[in-house]
Amino acid sequence: MQLILISGLSGSGKSVALKALEDGGFYCVDNLPATMLCEAASLYTDYGYDRIGISVDVRSSPSLGALPEEMARLRAKGVDVRLLFLESKDETLVKRFSETRRRHPLSNPGLTVQECIRIEREMLGLIQELGTRIDTSDLSANALRTAIRELVDADGSRLTLVLQSFGFKNGVPLDADFVFDVRCLPNPFYEAALRPLTGLDQPVIDFFKGEALVGEMVADIGQLIARWLPHFSRENRSYLTIAIGCTGGQHRSVYISEQLAAAFRGQQVLIRHRQLSHD
């Protein structure tokens, strides 16, 4: 059985993620207490379901403390259980609640939305360390659905290297394990013909290939990743996220992420370009 747990902050896209699993053939359950996970897995197995998606969050907060033990019990039974933890920046969450006019699950007359978010972060602090974090601050619903499908389809027995480009002007990704700043490199933005293009376009690729510093940066980052990747694999991690940042997340970070992906083609690799994924 493959069991995908969806957790995270209210307003971060958990409903979208669960729907993406459902569209991918998973039998999905929203807001199940953590203490019922093993019982539910056995029940669904009896009914012939082998791909299950379950949302576990603060709506069933009294049972959250049992989640680590329940996940361990499921793995001991041979269940491929993974946790995807969704989060977003505070300002993004506040904006989403304002736009949808939904109440925060922890709302009461004495708390603002910002205070509810702070309390929820504290309640979920230990949970986020149990799985893979996904920062949805700059992801459209379509981009989030794609990210969920890619993560779920990856071979859970092998470590997946996630390479993520981003723009510092939009903030550092919350889900990054390593962050590399490449703003010191030559910037195609200052070339009028290259400015509207991205690091995926051939003219920009040719520009970077002519810059020795860019090649050195790719090689240095690649060597560091190669040196430490085996150690992360031995820790039984499912994913390792490497964030590459430039000013706008359009040229340098995109190109370098693609080059690193090519260098690690023997590894299980996923690529995300945060500032190019709004459609």
Side-chain angles (χ1 to χ4, degrees), residues 56-256:
V56 179
D57 53 47
V58 293
R59 290 172 294 173
S60 53
S61 57
S63 70
L64 284 178
L67 187 57
E69 181 180 349
E70 292 295 304
M71 291 177 65
R73 288 177 59 194
L74 286 164
R75 286 174 177 142
K77 294 179 179 180
V79 177
D80 175 15
V81 57
R82 307 183 217 172
L83 172 68
L84 302 181
F85 185 91
L86 278 57
E87 58 185 324
S88 290
K89 301 171 189 172
D90 285 4
E91 55 267 31
T92 302
L93 296 173
V94 171
K95 181 180 178 183
R96 288 173 182 170
F97 276 107
S98 175
E99 290 175 345
T100 61
R101 300 184 182 275
R102 292 178 56 234
R103 295 181 65 228
H104 193 282
L106 301 180
S107 290
N108 70 52
L111 293 175
T112 65
V113 173
Q114 290 92 330
E115 289 170 334
C116 290
I117 293 170
R118 177 182 57 77
I119 294 171
E120 187 177 27
R121 282 194 190 280
E122 293 173 356
M123 294 174 66
L124 294 173
L126 294 177
I127 303 300
Q128 69 177 19
E129 303 302 327
L130 299 176
T132 301
R133 297 161 62 196
I134 305 175
D135 182 0
T136 69
S137 304
D138 295 285
L139 292 182
S140 65
N142 282 337
L144 176 57
R145 282 190 284 267
T146 298
I148 295 295
R149 286 195 297 267
E150 290 177 339
L151 290 169
V152 168
D153 290 342
D155 182 355
S157 65
R158 302 172 58 202
L159 183 144
T160 298
L161 183 63
V162 181
L163 295 165
Q164 179 173 209
S165 68
F166 72 96
F168 274 99
K169 70 179 184 180
N170 298 105
V172 176
L174 300 174
D175 52 3
D177 295 302
F178 287 90
V179 177
F180 292 96
D181 184 347
V182 299
R183 288 176 292 185
C184 62
L185 299 177
N187 192 353
F189 178 85
Y190 297 107
E191 300 283 342
L194 302 181
R195 183 175 302 172
L197 304 180
T198 76
L200 301 175
D201 294 312
Q202 193 61 47
V204 175
I205 293 172
D206 293 339
F207 171 90
F208 285 130
K209 285 184 175 179
E211 299 287 346
L213 279 178
V214 176
E216 292 176 19
M217 179 71 82
V218 172
D220 286 347
I221 295 175
Q223 288 172 8
L224 188 145
I225 295 173
R227 167 70 176 84
W228 292 103
L229 200 57
H231 296 276
F232 283 101
S233 295
R234 283 196 290 271
E235 288 296 314
N236 295 318
R237 294 188 58 150
S238 297
Y239 308 96
L240 184 69
T241 300
I242 310 295
I244 311 294
C246 60
T247 304
Q250 180 180 337
H251 298 107
R252 293 167 290 184
S253 60
V254 172
Y255 173 81
I256 290 178

Side-chain angles (χ1 to χ4, degrees), residues 1 38-50 52:
M1 170 182 282
C38 286
E39 180 182 348
S42 296
L43 177 63
Y44 297 139
T45 298
D46 291 343
Y47 280 100
Y49 296 109
D50 58 3
I52 310 296

